[in-house]
Amino acid sequence: MSFENFGLKTELLSAVAAEGYTTPTPVQTEAIPVILQKRDVLAGAQTGTGKTAAFALPILQLLGNTKGKACKPRCLVLTPTRELAAQIQESFESLGRSLSLRSTVIFGGVGINPQIDKLRRGVDILVATPGRLLDHAGRRTLDLSQVEILVLDEADRMLDMGFIHDIRKVLKLLPNRRQNMLFSATYSPDIKRLADKLLNNPEIIEVSSSNKAADGVDQTVYPVARTRKRELLSTLVRNGEWEMLLVFTRTKHGANRLTKQLIKDGIKAAAIHGNKSQTARTRALADFKSGSIRALVATDIAARGLDIDMLPHVVNFDLPNVPEDYVHRIGRTGRAGAQGIAISLVCQEEQKQLKDIQRLLNHKIPVKKVDGFDQERTVPTQPDTFRKKRPTSRPRYSQTPR
Ligand code: AMP
């Protein structure tokens, strides 16, 4: 299978070649022909599968074939996070570089006036997060009456983040006749309900179940006491000479604390999470990509949709509470065929999460012990008499929301 088989315009084929894509990924092979037939699509595909080009290429082709009216958006892509929105718009921009279609991105946390100016000048493809989109609609600086194609990307994450009401409001602003696509890594009952309401006789595309996506990644669990995780991480980074790692913590506070500690250990690091300004997040990502920082420390939500090619190491500093998040996290490494390494620092208190993750993966994750950090050795030995009195259940640590 090659991109030529889809009957795409030469402008798109040359953009694909310039991006260095030689063979379509499975989601592209399945989705592109269906979208070109103007059919609705429900696709189970997560970040790293090439899903952005799977919808961007046929959308560019369809919009490039016809003329729109009055410079109003003809395609709307809704995404959960600013980073993902920015990356999707960049993909439209680079894949559509030789077409005369205009795309723009709007999200919160930055000034609204430049966005108003861009919308006023006219746009064919609009990529947006739901809140700021509604803000524009409320100010009447945006007219969605000419939208022909709607994409909900990472729909599961949008629902997790509480965007369902905003999505419903946006749907009311769109014309009834339109092509719809819903991309989601997981199918919860809520997603099914949304899909039933939104999609008209959709083609269902499932590229890989979430546990399969994890198979291409070399995964290891390091047992370690909770209090010694940072030390172990710094040791692994130094000994393994890891140059580029994405580290996941469960909380924003944890991300900040770990970042400071890594810097003290001589490992250049930056945190990326929802409390950081857009400028700080963009700078951290740029520094990470350019190699001027080695470790990017992120929470699940902030990391979602970060487009970083060939990320060699993903570290679960804390295991996620939701097993599917583990799969999303490690899906950030070994992208587009490259071999990736995912390591998890697991303390006694996280055994339940580990069990749930292994159940989802349907296999055990290999365990490696590092001398001096092995869990049992780090737990202070207690006299026998005392040990007998210890409660069998361990204290639970309070969890601050992400
Ligand atoms: P996505 O799942 O859309 O976030 O894409 C993941 C990564 O794969 C991005 O860095 C894309 O540039 C890259 N990519 C997309 N399609 C292809 C392809 N056909 N061949 C190689 N890389 C691709």
Side-chain angles (χ1 to χ4, degrees), residues 3 19-25 28 46-53 307 309 335-336:
F3 282 98
E19 289 296 303
Y21 306 165
T22 49
T23 322
T25 65
Q28 291 163 359
Q46 58 195 69
T47 297
T49 54
K51 68 181 167 68
T52 313
D307 182 15
D309 286 336
R335 313 184 81 184

Side-chain angles (χ1 to χ4, degrees), residues 114-283:
Q115 297 176 349
I116 294 176
D117 284 346
K118 275 195 269 177
L119 291 172
R120 197 177 291 140
R121 284 200 295 272
V123 53
D124 299 286
I125 297 153
L126 178 62
V127 187
T129 52
R132 181 56 68 90
L133 185 82
L134 287 171
D135 202 351
H136 279 284
R139 290 166 185 246
R140 308 229 177 278
T141 49
L142 172 64
D143 177 347
L144 294 172
S145 65
Q146 302 301 315
V147 170
E148 299 160 34
I149 303 174
L150 170 72
V151 181
L152 295 189
D153 193 26
E154 305 213 343
D156 49 347
R157 195 47 61 136
M158 284 203 272
L159 298 193
D160 286 353
M161 290 169 75
F163 283 138
I164 186 68
H165 301 295
D166 284 354
I167 293 173
R168 287 208 192 103
K169 283 186 203 155
V170 174
L171 294 181
K172 287 200 185 119
L173 301 173
L174 304 178
N176 288 334
R177 258 180 75 91
R178 52 169 205 265
Q179 185 179 10
N180 301 290
M181 297 162 215
L182 189 152
F183 286 77
S184 181
T186 54
Y187 288 129
S188 63
D190 284 344
I191 288 288
K192 289 208 182 78
R193 256 194 303 278
L194 179 64
D196 285 347
K197 186 173 173 322
L198 185 76
L199 305 173
N200 183 12
N201 186 25
E203 175 80 17
I204 297 172
I205 295 169
E206 182 66 57
V207 285
S208 67
S209 67
S210 50
N211 47 6
K212 274 218 191 84
D215 284 351
V217 179
D218 185 358
Q219 304 168 61
T220 310
V221 159
Y222 287 89
V224 59
R226 205 171 59 95
T227 50
R228 299 198 61 201
K229 284 189 175 187
R230 190 266 307 155
E231 226 181 306
L232 174 58
L233 178 58
S234 294
T235 305
L236 289 170
V237 172
R238 275 196 297 261
N239 292 355
E241 296 176 4
W242 298 353
E243 287 309 327
M244 197 181 190
L245 60 150
L246 178 62
V247 186
F248 285 93
T249 59
R250 219 184 38 233
T251 65
K252 298 170 192 173
H253 178 61
N256 285 339
R257 199 175 41 210
L258 178 64
T259 303
K260 283 193 194 130
Q261 290 167 331
L262 289 175
I263 293 169
K264 266 194 197 145
D265 286 348
I267 296 164
K268 285 194 184 138
I272 184 163
H273 56 63
N275 285 1
K276 296 266 171 188
S277 69
Q278 184 56 32
T279 326
R281 293 207 248 177
T282 310
R283 191 185 328 116

Side-chain angles (χ1 to χ4, degrees), residues 35-47:
I35 298 173
L36 287 174
Q37 288 166 22
K38 302 196 176 181
R39 289 202 44 203
D40 281 8
V41 166
L42 172 63
Q46 58 195 69
T47 297

